[in-house]
C-alpha cells in the first residue's frame, strides 16, 4: 500500500460504500459476524442509511479505512447494550490487500479514541474462539479476555465467541 491510509467516519449518505464493504466482509469471513450475507443482501437502501444515521455521536461511529482509490477496512464503535459505561468494537474487517499493514490496528485505535471521547470506561468485543489471528491482534492491542463466552445465533450456533476488554 503506497497511498496514504485515511480513516473516514461514514454518514447516512455513504450507505452504498458501507453496503459494498460490509458485503465483501461477509463473503470473505462469514463465520466472523453474527449477521449473514443473505441477511445483509436483503437489507434495503433506507435500512443501510438508517443504520449509519444511528451510528453517530455517543451512540456509535462507523469508520472506513481507505486510500484515495480503495476501501480497505471497516469497524464500528457502538454503545454496548446493557452496559452504559462500555462501548463495543463491532464488525472489524480488513480486505486481504490491506492485511498485515497496520489497517486493523489503526481502526482499533480510532474506535478506542471515539470511545474515550464519549467517556466510555472500556471497549468490549466478541471474537471467534477459533480465530487465533484475530485473538492475537486484539491481545497485541491490549484487549484481555473477560471469561465470558457465547454462541453465534443459528444457523451458526456451533461457533463460540469470547469476550475481550480494553480498559480505556
Amino acid at each position: 500500500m503506497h497511498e496514504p491510509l485515511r480513516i473516514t467516519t461514514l454518514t447516512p449518505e455513504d450507505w452504498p460504500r458501507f453496503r459494498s464493504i460490509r458485503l465483501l466482509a461477509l463473503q470473505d469471513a462469514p463465520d466472523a459476524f453474527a449477521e449473514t450475507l443473505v441477511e445483509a443482501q436483503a437489507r434495503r437502501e433506507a435500512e443501510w442509511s438508517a443504520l449509519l444515521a444511528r451510528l453517530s455521536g455517543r451512540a456509535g461511529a462507523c469508520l472506513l479505512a481507505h486510500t484515495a482509490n480503495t476501501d480497505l477496512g471497516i469497524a464500528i464503535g457502538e454503545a454496548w447494550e446493557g452496559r452504559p459505561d462500555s462501548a463495543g468494537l463491532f464488525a472489524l474487517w480488513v480486505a486481504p490487500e490491506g492485511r498485515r499493514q497496520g489497517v486493523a490496528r489503526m481502526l482499533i485505535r480510532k474506535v478506542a479514541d471515539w470511545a474515550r471521547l464519549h467517556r466510555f470506561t472500556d471497549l468490549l468485543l466478541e471474537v471467534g474462539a477459533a480465530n487465533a489471528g484475530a485473538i492475537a491482534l486484539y491481545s497485541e492491542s491490549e484487549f484481555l479476555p473477560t471469561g465470558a463466552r457465547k454462541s453465534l445465533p443459528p444457523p451458526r450456533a456451533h461457533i463460540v465467541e469470547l469476550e475481550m476488554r480494553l480498559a480505556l
Side-chain angles (χ1 to χ4, degrees):
M1 184 170 44
H2 297 87
E3 298 177 63
L5 181 67
R6 298 183 189 113
I7 304 291
T8 301
T9 300
L10 296 178
T11 66
E13 295 76 30
D14 297 317
W15 74 263
R17 224 169 157 182
F18 176 48
R19 180 183 191 276
S20 177
I21 198 159
R22 179 66 175 161
L23 295 179
L24 287 173
L26 292 167
Q27 288 170 331
D28 178 64
D31 291 339
F33 304 102
E35 180 179 45
T36 67
L37 178 61
V38 170
E39 291 167 340
Q41 288 171 327
R43 191 179 293 143
R44 289 176 283 196
E45 293 175 16
E47 293 172 296
W48 288 101
S49 181
L51 176 56
L52 287 172
R54 185 176 54 99
L55 294 171
S56 62
R58 192 172 200 275
C62 184
L63 304 175
L64 178 72
H66 61 95
T67 63
N69 300 313
T70 308
D71 291 343
L72 292 170
I74 193 162
I76 293 174
E78 189 171 13
W80 194 270
E81 188 174 329
R83 293 169 76 173
D85 292 333
S86 299
L89 171 61
F90 299 98
L92 176 66
W93 179 80
V94 175
E97 63 270 26
R99 293 179 187 158
R100 302 206 183 339
Q101 298 185 46
V103 177
R105 283 181 182 80
M106 184 179 281
L107 284 165
I108 292 168
R109 192 169 42 253
K110 292 293 186 178
V111 170
D113 290 346
W114 163 84
R116 283 185 195 95
L117 175 69
H118 293 287
R119 295 187 170 32
F120 289 104
T121 58
D122 54 17
L123 185 60
L124 300 168
L125 61 84
E126 293 168 337
V127 59
N131 192 340
I135 292 170
L137 168 70
Y138 296 133
S139 295
E140 290 167 10
S141 298
E142 300 183 11
F143 282 84
L144 299 172
T146 66
R149 304 165 70 92
K150 74 172 201 174
S151 296
L152 285 178
R156 293 164 300 136
H158 63 283
I159 298 173
V160 175
E161 292 191 316
L162 310 175
E163 183 181 273
M164 297 182 81
R165 175 183 175 269
L166 172 66
L168 300 173

